[in-house]
Amino acid sequence: MITLALSKGRIFEETLPLLKAAGIEVLEDPETSRKLILPTNQPGVRVVLVRATDVPTYVEYGGADLGVTGKDTLLEHGGQGLYQPLDLRIAKCRMSVAVRADFDYASAVRQGSRLAVATKYTTIAREFFATKGVHVDLIKLYGSMELAPLTGLADAIVDLVSTGNTLKANQLVEVERIMDISSRLVVNQASLKLKQAPIRAIIDAFAGALSES
Ligand code: AMP
């Protein structure tokens, strides 16, 4: 049995065409089904639905053979022991620094001010500001990061930005682009050895579909 870990929403939706290229069709819709293990048209392949941040953990410990996860999640998790054969170029967005429109970020940085930065992505933020030589106090949040500068909890946030609409709706502006983000295929190293043929077939089908797009 091959187990593929996906998270609901954008990653699930955007992985479906790649699965189709591998001849795999998921037989239930996660938006209407309450099942966490979804069968596919191939008796030897199943999909498990996990939280996006749990995908690397499932694959690392062999709860799933493969998974699809954002570069952001992988960098925060560390990606230890995971084989990362493909950038799937799906769920694209960017990791950025944003501040209140009336906060002069450039001059705060120039003056060497200490910045309070709220984020879910503390590893990425720590490394980014360290490289820039900016002193920061990181405040770990689990959601609604946009609220932090509006309430005075933080000077800046580090978050994912796609259209920019969420920032705009909260009077925040993007002041730095840290990195582009997309989702990766990750594979358990032991599975790759023990179930080499079916896993290679999936990797090759995904790679073929990507080269055509
Ligand atoms: P947007 O308003 O389109 O810029 O989207 C920003 C909101 O969606 C933020 O709350 C982000 O955390 C979230 N978001 C955007 N793109 C992604 C993605 N690829 N994966 C997960 N969350 C995302």
Side-chain angles (χ1 to χ4, degrees):
M1 175 65 75
I2 299 288
T3 303
L4 171 69
L6 296 176
S7 51
K8 273 194 199 182
R10 220 171 137 183
I11 286 184
F12 182 87
E13 297 300 329
E14 296 186 23
T15 302
L16 288 182
L18 298 170
L19 284 173
K20 202 164 178 197
I24 300 166
E25 283 181 45
V26 184
L27 298 177
E28 289 196 41
D29 177 358
E31 297 306 327
T32 52
S33 168
R34 285 172 178 270
K35 283 188 189 167
L36 296 175
I37 300 180
L38 306 179
T40 73
N41 63 331
Q42 294 198 16
V45 181
R46 64 181 183 174
V47 168
V48 293
L49 294 175
V50 303
R51 268 188 86 117
T53 45
D54 291 336
V55 168
T57 306
Y58 267 83
V59 177
E60 180 184 353
Y61 293 106
D65 301 296
L66 311 110
V68 176
T69 184
K71 183 179 172 187
D72 51 320
T73 307
L74 268 177
L75 288 173
E76 286 297 317
H77 177 268
Q80 304 92 335
L82 297 173
Y83 174 53
Q84 301 177 32
L86 290 176
D87 177 354
L88 302 176
R89 307 200 297 263
I90 60 171
K92 283 187 181 175
C93 57
R94 56 195 185 269
M95 183 74 72
S96 294
V97 182
V99 298
R100 264 167 59 154
D102 59 3
F103 181 80
D104 191 346
Y105 174 80
S107 83
V109 167
R110 219 179 307 116
Q111 288 165 15
S113 310
R114 201 172 179 91
L115 294 179
V117 178
T119 186
K120 188 157 82 172
Y121 306 97
T122 48
T123 305
I124 293 171
R126 185 175 298 110
E127 192 172 327
F128 174 74
F129 287 109
T131 304
K132 244 180 111 62
V134 174
H135 294 289
V136 291
D137 291 316
L138 291 174
I139 301 164
K140 171 87 181 182
L141 290 179
Y142 294 88
S144 302
M145 262 122 18
E146 297 82 8
L147 202 52
L150 305 179
T151 54
L153 180 68
D155 302 310
I157 60 169
V158 167
D159 195 9
L160 297 175
V161 180
S162 181
T163 60
N165 290 340
T166 306
L167 293 182
K168 205 187 253 174
N170 292 291
Q171 288 94 45
L172 300 178
V173 290
E174 195 176 355
V175 286
E176 300 237 37
R177 198 176 171 128
I178 300 178
M179 65 178 76
D180 288 328
I181 300 286
S182 57
S183 289
R184 317 278 149 133
L185 182 66
V186 292
V187 184
N188 176 277
Q189 306 258 19
S191 300
L192 187 62
K193 292 198 187 96
L194 297 171
K195 307 176 186 178
Q196 197 167 24
I199 288 180
R200 277 277 161 218
I202 292 173
I203 296 173
D204 291 347
F206 278 24
L210 289 173
S211 68
E212 280 164 24
S213 65

